[in-house]
Amino acid sequence: MKAGGHKYWTAQRDGEVRLHQETTSFANNMPITVHDMFSSTAIQYANYTALGSKHGDTWHILTYIEYYEQCRRAAKAFLKLGLQRFHSVGIMGFNSEEWAISSIGAIMAGGFSVGMLSTSSPKTCQVIVENSEMDIVVVDNDKHLQKIIQINGFLGRFKAIIQYKEETRTQLENLYSWKAFLDLANSVSDDTLDQIIDSQKPNQCCAVFYNMVTTTDPPRAVMISHDNITWTTAATAQSLSFKSPAEGQEVLVSYLPLSYMRSQIFDLWIPISVAGALYFAGKDALRGSLLDTLREVKPTLFYGVPWVWDWLLDQLKTSQLSSAPFRKKIDKWAMQLGLRTLKRQMIKQMHPQVCLRLFRKLTFYLAEKLTFNQARSFLGLHYCRQLFNMGMGLAGTTLDYFLSLNMPIFQLYGTPECTGVHTLSTPGHFRLLSSGKALPGAHTNIQKQDQDGIGDIHIWGRNVFMGYLNDEENTQEKINLQGWMHTGDFGLLDADNFLYVLGNVGDIITLSSGEKINPNPIEERVKRNIPIVRYVMLVGQEAPYLCALLTLKCQINTQTGEPRDSLTSEAVACCRQLRSQSTRLSDIIYYRDPLVLDFISQGIDAANAEATSDSTKIMKWILLDMDFSIAGGELGLNTKLKRAIVAKMYQTEIKSFYSEESLYS
């Protein structure tokens, strides 16, 4: 076996794994550590912009050589504080240069970088601290500090706590400001740090990501190696044809939590790999300031999760609704033309007549000048070459809306266990509803296929994680002896190896008849037929028939991140088309707006008309009095529906479906 006879997995913090290498592909590229990748960029592109942070009305810029030196200072300071090899540094706070420097500094010092969600409960934080053997924790403000103090009082294990935003208001012996922390580096030599850096191997762990599996089980600790990060980064950058200076510098905006694996790949590691410029959005980005940042920074790549795309769509529609009547007519013509033309291109059904193609090209150019460019400029995305959706379940209506403005949103697929990315859609490799093709040197296999070719998705490649920390049993279930990883998702591959992800094994509903139902395509049918609906969750486990929980599209509270009672402008426009005067969710629920409720009922009937059998029809439904959100706990970071949590929250409503009387039917 290669790599010293190591297996493809380990559950030990100091373990080494066999890399998924092949002799004749990208998978055989020379393995390197995170430091190797960073130092190479810092030397070659020393004076290019690396990080940008807004301080008041001005941007504070770090060049690559400054960024690298700051990470080295942080690493030496961590060593001074007593960070042990293969122990962790926890980081809790909004994305910032201090977050990035702490993470990379911890890795350079021979520890693990561990991102901690600010929404995690003290109990969850305690599990993470104990499991990862956390020596030091870095927080951004006093609110997060107080949460850590609760854990510190119980465990008494932290060697230091570092606060990098706001002045420290709490007196603690082991509490350091950011400046005081970095000053500790002065007493640690470069040689001491270099010896630790040189001892690190590509097939050893450098970061741990915690993945909540259920509401009752402790989170699983996903071990990510140096090679997982550096190889996946290089493969992704090559697939997306990213540029490096002086050919051109990529520009990205960081706003989704860096404790999320995929965010780290795109925000921290890809910019380092290609010497891109990363700008941090303000902490109120998801409360409305993101648009201002995008317009100012002008990114060359942008990604969002489904609710972010829905939010951007609503901003655009609000702008369009305030336009003059003539402008509305132009936009409607342009968007209809754009959708027809781009869908025709994507399915390769261009008309053979040259004169007609030329006419379409000229009219498309006119639509681009009059409407498409304005929409891109409004969102600050006019320099973006590629737009990505990072979560499952983006509504087809949202995809079509952006496509009609010549802003195709590409899908990718990946889990924390495959370093966030396994397949990518690109302009050159695109299929409608597909998540694209596997990274070069990685492989996808569909096991236990049914008659339609649908089965369990298994993957192989150097993006496959090392294993679950301190959990050998679940690691062995996840990765087999040949290195193939069972994702837990199911889908199909077409003849050209495009992957279509259709759901998760844990989402399957088993009726009392024993029939197994995949809820995802049924839920998508409902959303397609009822554009005012945001989320649909089917229920019916061990019940005689399916029922549905529905939420409507509501605005987001800019202070809390929770949904408001007010409907989005898109939803209000839909109500107006129905001749309904409702503008709030409460107008529809508490006053039982007959126009909207009848529209929803007709949409359910239309979805049922497409059902392949009676068992896949929705027999009863209820409209919930609040939209789902990350802040509310119903959604994960990538807006994946937390079905078990939602079922627990609405168990009374679900029980009513199967009583003699129902709420709606």
Side-chain angles (χ1 to χ4, degrees), residues 41 182 323 350 374 385 415 483 493 500 621 634 654:
T41 299
L182 290 180
S323 300
M350 296 302 292
Q374 287 195 16
R385 294 191 302 276
T415 66
L493 283 172
Y500 297 79
W621 57 274
E634 302 95 342
I654 293 172

Side-chain angles (χ1 to χ4, degrees), residues 188 279 287 425 443 462 466 492 535 552 624 630 633 652:
V188 178
Y279 292 86
R287 299 174 185 171
S425 292
H443 302 280
R462 281 167 65 179
M466 298 177 67
L492 60 88
Y535 291 103
L552 297 190
L624 301 180
I630 296 173
T652 301

Side-chain angles (χ1 to χ4, degrees), residues 620 656-662:
K620 299 177 182 179
S656 73
F657 285 141
Y658 304 102
S659 63
E660 292 184 3
E661 296 182 0
S662 64

Side-chain angles (χ1 to χ4, degrees), residues 314-324 328 569-570 572-573:
D314 198 54
Q315 300 300 306
L316 272 172
K317 285 199 170 183
T318 300
S319 174
Q320 290 178 337
L321 287 172
S322 63
S323 300
K328 289 180 182 177
S569 60
E570 178 190 7
V572 171

